[in-house]
Amino acid sequence: LDEHEGILRVVTTTEEIQYLIEDNGMITSASMRELGTSANLYCIRLEDWQIAAQVIEFAPKGETVRSVRFDGTAAYVCTAVQLKDPVFFFDLSDMSNITYTDTGVIEGYSSSLVNFGENTLIGIGYGDSRSTLKIEVYAEDGGKVESLCAYERRFGFSEDYKSYFIDRENGLVGLAVSDQTTGNLKFRYILLAYNGYELVEVENVL
């Protein structure tokens, strides 16, 4: 969630359940049917706690919210079902006309979305499996968000945003990882530089 000019913005996963009443009038867990999940965006006025705008079920059925980044009048939302990942870009500049686009389906998903400067966003998360680290750079251009490049390795990593080193001015991102490619688990630190075209390793030390 985030506050901007008196508006509280919240993105949340929603879950739809159908309750089936049994012959004895009881509702039990066995009589409930899961209809699926999706995602909603709410914009709430702090002066009266009324909803100023909302976008209901913008993600496909089955999706859950994995990460969100608000940046002024923009919002970026990563949702996923298993290891498939659309990233949505919302234009919140006009509460009466909220628009959004998405990247389409990308392998994996970002557990953190971080402003990376110069109209770019960096996503840190998983690739095609839970044992693959994926760091992806996105750009917001003309009201849409698109993937520019990605770095993927079979590394374990922490999902804690505070454990990442982010240097926007110099286009650097660093984090500790566990190497899962050998029989002996080894921990190392990697530092990547974004050169405008790709993410390049500048440090990879044990």
Side-chain angles (χ1 to χ4, degrees):
L1 57 82
D2 176 80
E3 184 276 333
H4 181 75
E5 296 183 349
I7 300 292
L8 181 68
R9 292 94 61 89
V10 180
V11 177
T12 182
T13 298
T14 54
E15 183 177 28
E16 186 179 2
I17 296 175
Q18 185 178 58
Y19 293 91
L20 305 176
I21 301 176
E22 298 179 341
D23 291 341
N24 58 8
M26 299 292 291
I27 298 175
T28 67
S29 59
S31 66
M32 294 186 298
R33 184 170 62 187
E34 173 66 60
L35 298 182
T37 58
S38 188
N40 293 355
L41 166 70
Y42 298 99
C43 298
I44 302 167
R45 290 191 300 267
L46 292 178
E47 62 180 4
D48 58 9
W49 293 103
Q50 297 299 305
I51 295 176
Q54 60 186 8
V55 181
I56 303 298
E57 295 188 348
F58 61 82
K61 282 288 187 182
E63 299 277 305
T64 59
V65 177
R66 299 294 185 170
S67 52
V68 180
R69 174 64 54 179
F70 291 98
D71 185 11
T73 59
Y76 303 88
V77 182
C78 175
T79 67
V81 51
Q82 297 179 347
L83 288 165
K84 300 290 184 180
D85 162 24
V87 176
F88 295 85
F89 167 73
F90 285 83
D91 182 350
L92 305 177
S93 58
D94 182 356
M95 289 290 100
S96 66
N97 183 34
I98 295 177
T99 60
Y100 66 94
T101 59
D102 67 76
T103 57
V105 175
I106 299 174
E107 290 292 332
Y109 66 85
S110 299
S111 54
S112 290
L113 287 172
V114 183
N115 185 306
F116 207 43
E118 297 294 327
N119 294 321
T120 60
L121 190 73
I122 194 164
I124 301 173
Y126 297 93
D128 58 4
S129 74
R130 293 284 296 185
S131 61
T132 301
L133 165 67
K134 183 179 183 181
I135 302 176
E136 194 156 11
V137 178
Y138 302 95
E140 186 275 307
D141 181 28
K144 64 180 181 179
V145 61
E146 62 178 338
S147 172
L148 299 179
C149 66
Y151 169 95
E152 293 188 70
R153 296 290 188 277
R154 286 184 59 81
F155 287 149
F157 67 100
S158 170
E159 291 188 17
D160 186 355
Y161 166 71
K162 293 182 179 179
S163 68
Y164 307 145
F165 169 73
I166 306 291
D167 182 346
R168 296 169 179 81
E169 183 177 351
N170 296 298
L172 299 174
V173 55
L175 68 162
V177 299
S178 57
D179 191 341
Q180 302 181 16
T181 59
T182 63
N184 297 321
L185 186 64
K186 294 182 178 180
F187 293 90
R188 59 182 64 242
Y189 192 87
I190 59 171
L191 181 66
L192 307 177
Y194 176 58
N195 60 16
Y197 302 97
E198 59 182 339
L199 286 164
V200 180
E201 281 189 9
V202 293
E203 292 288 348
N204 187 332
V205 295
L206 290 172

